[in-house]
Structures are given as C-alpha cells and as structure tokens.
Amino acid sequence: LEAAAGLVDNRLPAGTILPCDDQGRPVSPEAVTLVERGESPLVVCTDAPYPPFEEEDPTGGSPSGYTGFDMDLAQSVANSADRTLVVVDLPFGRLFDAVSVGVCDAVFSAVTITPEREEQVDFSRPYLEVTQALVVRSEDSTTDSLPGLTGRTVGVKNETTGKAYVEANRPPGVRIETFESTAAMDEALRAGRIAALVDDTPAADALVTSGPGLRIAATLETGDRYGVAVAAGDTETLELVNRGLDQAESDGTLAGLQQQYLGTLPAGS
C-alpha cells in the first residue's frame, strides 16, 4: 500500500478510476477511465460489490462508475465540495490501511464506527444506523438464532462488526468461518458449505432478494452506526466530509437515498 500511496492522490486527472490487483495496488494505467472535470478529485476507497451500498454501475450512467447508497452519498459529498469523485476498489480488510497511507482521502464502504477502528482512523458524524441479520437457507425452517446453530458453521466477513458480534455471542459448539467477500460467503451458504451467515441487514436483504433459496432467520440489534473514515489527523478531509453529510441531510439527499436503497426513511421524517 505504501508503494501505491503516490499513485492515487490529487495529482491524478479528475474522474480517474483505478482498477487494483489482489494486493490492493492500482494497476493498468492504460485501462483507467478519464472523465475530465475541473477541480482535484475526492478519492474514496470502497469494497465493491456490496449491494445496496456499493457496486459498479452496469448502466454506465454514474460519473464515478459506481452506484449504491454509499457511492451516491460520496458523489453528493464530492459535488458539494466541487470535487470529482474517484473510486478505488479494495478488499474491506485493507481499507483502513489504504486511507491511512494516502491511497485515498476517505472510506465510504458501510463502515461501522467502533472504538477499535477509532484508534486507527478518524470518523465523520454517523450517517446511518443499521442492525445485523442472521441468514439461512430457506429449507432450514427451524433456525431463528445463533444458539440454533450449535454443531454447525456460521460465515462472517473478515474485519467486520458481524464477525465481532458472532465471536462475542456464539454459544459453545457454533463454529465460525471467515470470508474475504460477501459474494464468497453467499456462495458458501447456498452450496451448503456453511449453515448460516451474519451480515449487515441491508446487505442481507439484498442477498435474500437477489435469488431464491435464502431467508433472514433473525435480526440482531447491534446499534451499528456507519461513518466515513479518514486518516487520523486529516481534519481538512474530515471537515469536507462532515459539511457534505450535513448538506445531504438538510437538502433531503440522505433521506432520498435511504428510501431508494433501503426502503425506509430516517426517524422523524
């Protein structure tokens, strides 16, 4: 990541989207898409696909090439600062190192604010509160909690609050298997290699509705709050992000995204 830090900064042409290899290094400059536009870009790291929050835009209509709750919110924040949004796609477990060494300015990736993460990065004001969900195959009509998985394996995504919740709350006899991506976890559950998975409820809803065969067995009230991560001490970017979030809330953008992607409205709306 240190080698990559000099490749992704505000000297890049506005609108650049950098593909990355499996080590998180920006690669293939020839494949980079350029969209010329004014000011220096706001470079954000994300872990895509993770619907409904971040995924590549199949229509090609998004200026950044990505769409979803977080990506549209990042676009709104960038627009409010008259910056062009640049998206760098990395595995979730590398996002905090990436922003810390300057690969990107901020992380928009359904990131829950936790005390442990606050020791490594700084966070914006919270912009969304979510729960976790326990997902099982539809044919499993009896499991409705973690204790119901005794003797079986539950899948979790690496470096996530879902993993932390299962580790802290699983009863004896419930095994954990860790995955690097939601797609791999979903595939393992559908194939019967694990008995269940735990993920953020909006992402779990997206898995269930993406095709038959899965159901949400339980909602886990964890009180997770999403925030945007920036490098520790980067007050300039933090203030830019918070101003953008405040504007998105005041002008109705945040409520509109919540209704569009999550089917709900903020409390009090």
Side-chain angles (χ1 to χ4, degrees):
L1 287 174
E2 289 181 359
L7 299 178
V8 185
D9 62 18
N10 288 344
R11 294 187 296 275
L12 282 173
T16 304
I17 301 172
L18 294 176
C20 296
D21 66 11
D22 61 0
Q23 299 300 313
R25 296 182 299 242
V27 294
S28 305
E30 300 79 13
V32 171
T33 301
L34 301 179
V35 181
E36 294 295 341
R37 177 189 162 192
E39 299 296 322
S40 298
L42 176 67
V43 184
V44 305
C45 287
T46 197
D47 175 22
Y50 190 60
F53 295 103
E54 37 263 346
E55 56 189 324
E56 290 188 55
D57 184 0
T59 70
S62 170
S64 71
Y66 287 78
T67 189
F69 186 107
D70 280 335
M71 295 295 92
D72 290 3
L73 182 59
Q75 186 68 64
S76 175
V77 170
N79 290 347
S80 70
D82 196 24
R83 304 276 287 273
T84 298
L85 182 64
V86 175
V87 178
V88 178
D89 186 6
L90 295 171
F92 191 87
R94 298 193 181 107
L95 294 177
F96 305 115
D97 286 340
V99 75
S100 295
V101 300
V103 169
C104 51
D105 300 310
V107 175
F108 283 77
S109 197
V111 176
T112 299
I113 302 168
T114 68
E116 294 77 16
R117 289 171 179 168
E118 287 178 314
E119 294 179 358
Q120 184 178 2
V121 296
D122 290 340
F123 278 100
S124 71
R125 46 154 286 194
Y127 65 85
L128 186 67
E129 186 167 330
V130 301
T131 58
Q132 297 285 317
L134 179 68
V135 182
V136 300
R137 289 185 295 281
S138 299
E139 65 214 42
D140 179 356
S141 60
T142 59
T143 299
D144 60 3
S145 65
L146 282 176
L149 292 165
T150 300
R152 294 185 286 170
T153 301
V154 58
V156 294
K157 192 173 172 182
N158 194 29
E159 300 293 334
T160 61
T161 52
K163 179 181 179 183
Y165 179 88
V166 174
E167 289 175 338
N169 293 279
R170 63 171 170 161
V174 174
R175 298 183 295 272
I176 294 176
E177 184 170 345
T178 301
F179 295 84
E180 292 300 324
S181 72
T182 297
M185 192 164 58
D186 177 38
E187 180 184 2
L189 178 57
R190 293 182 186 275
R193 297 194 297 274
I194 58 176
L197 65 81
V198 169
D199 205 348
D200 294 3
T201 297
D205 285 334
L207 289 180
V208 169
T209 58
S210 67
L214 301 181
R215 70 177 181 90
I216 293 181
T219 299
L220 311 172
E221 297 291 341
T222 55
D224 288 5
R225 298 182 305 157
Y226 288 172
V228 179
V230 304
D234 184 359
T235 56
E236 181 179 353
T237 301
L238 187 62
E239 290 171 1
L240 180 153
V241 169
N242 279 327
R243 285 196 303 269
L245 293 177
D246 287 343
Q247 180 171 325
E249 182 173 39
S250 64
D251 67 15
T253 297
L254 197 55
L257 293 176
Q258 190 165 334
Q259 187 169 36
Q260 176 184 353
Y261 288 107
L262 308 183
T264 61
L265 284 171
S269 297

